[in-house]
């Protein structure tokens, strides 16, 4: 654990000067990479280390985003308080829905479909609820006091990157500490052989719900930061299936069930997403037919995912980490 935390601290120190060296447009890509990393780290805790494959992490992301936005707009509270409240709401929702799924012994594809159904349920509820703005969504105030307490800075301010970096480092540190605790070791035992773990006295249901709750809380932090950074949240942006995909892909490409895999996957996918957006916006002449088309990023994700699954089933980190050993 100590070695991993030291490596994490080195990563944080190495990345801290990055926004001072990058142009504003590239800084936004870097922030998006950190956002992808936070979501992937949270998904990996539940699905990689817990063995509970989820296709509905958009539910926790959206709860964090909407809770933060509502408390900031309606009560004027700090986004930090909003994110803490979002963590509590998402963890409670994850624990409740996780208990129902585990209680009725849903596994594999059935568990994944159940998580997707819960996320879709929340999307439809937000879409038809005037309390959260309905289909229009919520827009956070642009003006107001600037500073770290309000998380409101000028456009392109490196502080946004540093906040995202701190949140990402905190998420990874939480996972590292949890995995090296007794609860984390029990969780790994449940993933490897649920029957043997239960026979050894491990509370299987409790540890599964714990993994779901912690993963939901960490995902909600990413959702809360999203609403603060982009100053807007809507049902499709918060609860859409694309959000769950963005949580899954970095972990799968980087390496499921590894601490560093989600970070590597996020570092690959964020620039790829920006490249696809640029190509669609201003394509070269021989690709002029792509101009204004949507879905190119999804195609690129799909191709990359197929290549990684076929050539590197353990992901990028799993593939290259074994060579030095």
């Amino acid at each position: 654990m100590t070695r991993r935390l030291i490596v994490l601290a080195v990563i944080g120190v190495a990345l801290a000067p990055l926004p001072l060296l990058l142009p504003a447009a590239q800084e936004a890509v870097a922030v998006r990479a950190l956002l992808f990393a936070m979501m992937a780290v949270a998904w990996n805790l539940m699905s990689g280390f817990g063995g509970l494959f989820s296709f509905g992490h958009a539910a926790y992301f959206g709860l964090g985003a909407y809770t933060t936005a509502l408390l900031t707009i309606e009560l004027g509270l700090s986004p930090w308080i909003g994110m803490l409240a979002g963590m509590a709401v998402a963890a409670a929702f994850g624990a409740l829905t996780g208990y129902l799924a585990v209680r009725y012994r849903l596994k594999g594809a059935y568990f994944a479909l159940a998580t997707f159904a819960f996320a879709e349920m929340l999307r439809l509820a937000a879409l038809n609820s005037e309390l959260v703005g309905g289909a229009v969504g919520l827009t956070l105030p642009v003006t107001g006091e600037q500073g770290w307490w309000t998380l409101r800075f000028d456009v392109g301010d490196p502080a946004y990157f540093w906040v995202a970096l701190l949140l990402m480092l905190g998420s990874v540190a939480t996972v590292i500490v949890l995995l090296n605790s007794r609860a984390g070791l029990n969780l790994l035992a449940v993933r490897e052989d649920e029957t043997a773990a239960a026979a050894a006295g491990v509370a299987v249901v409790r540890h599964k719900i714990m993994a779901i709750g912690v993963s939901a809380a960490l995902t909600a932090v990413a959702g809360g930061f999203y609403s603060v950074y982009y100053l807007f949240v809507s049902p499709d942006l918060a609860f859409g299936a694309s959000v769950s995909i963005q949580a899954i892909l970095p972990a799968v490409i980087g390496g499921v069930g590894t601490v560093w895999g989600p970070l590597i996957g996020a570092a690959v996918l964020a620039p790829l997403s920006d490249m696809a957006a640029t190509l669609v916006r201003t394509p070269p002449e021989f690709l002029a037919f792509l101009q204004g088309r949507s879905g190119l990023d999804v195609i690129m994700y799909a191709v990359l995912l197929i290549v990684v699954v076929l050539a590197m089933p353990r992901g990028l980190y799993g593939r290259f980490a074994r060579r030095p050993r």
Side-chain angles (χ1 to χ4, degrees), residues 176-192:
I176 291 174
V177 172
L178 177 61
L179 290 177
N180 286 272
S181 67
R182 183 182 180 88
L185 295 176
N186 287 339
L187 179 64
L188 294 176
V190 171
R191 180 194 67 179
E192 294 300 323

Side-chain angles (χ1 to χ4, degrees), residues 48-73:
F49 294 113
L52 300 164
F53 189 90
S54 167
F55 197 69
H57 261 56
Y60 316 134
F61 182 90
L63 287 172
Y66 268 103
T67 302
T68 303
L70 280 172
L71 293 181
T72 302
I73 295 171

Side-chain angles (χ1 to χ4, degrees), residues 149-188:
W149 180 244
T150 59
L151 290 185
R152 190 177 289 118
F153 309 100
D154 293 330
V155 177
D157 194 305
Y160 280 119
F161 177 89
W162 291 329
V163 171
L165 179 62
L166 287 174
L167 294 176
M168 186 275 289
L169 294 175
S171 297
V172 179
T174 300
V175 171
I176 291 174
V177 172
L178 177 61
L179 290 177
N180 286 272
S181 67
R182 183 182 180 88
L185 295 176
N186 287 339
L187 179 64
L188 294 176

Side-chain angles (χ1 to χ4, degrees), residues 201-279:
V202 175
V204 173
V205 174
R206 186 176 69 191
H207 284 86
K208 284 184 176 182
I209 293 175
M210 175 205 69
I212 296 171
V214 176
S215 177
L218 295 179
T219 307
V221 173
F225 176 76
Y226 176 93
S227 65
V228 172
Y229 182 66
Y230 290 102
L231 299 175
F232 177 72
V233 60
S234 70
D236 289 330
L237 291 176
F239 296 112
S242 61
V243 177
S244 296
I245 293 173
Q246 289 170 356
I248 296 171
L249 282 181
V252 173
I253 290 172
V256 176
T258 65
V259 172
W260 310 115
L263 307 187
I264 296 172
V268 171
L269 283 179
L272 188 66
S273 174
D274 182 68
M275 186 190 309
T278 303
L279 192 61

Side-chain angles (χ1 to χ4, degrees), residues 3-23:
R3 183 176 62 183
R4 284 176 170 175
L5 290 175
I6 291 174
V7 172
L8 182 64
V10 171
I11 292 174
V13 171
L15 292 179
L18 200 59
L20 303 176
L21 306 175
L22 295 175

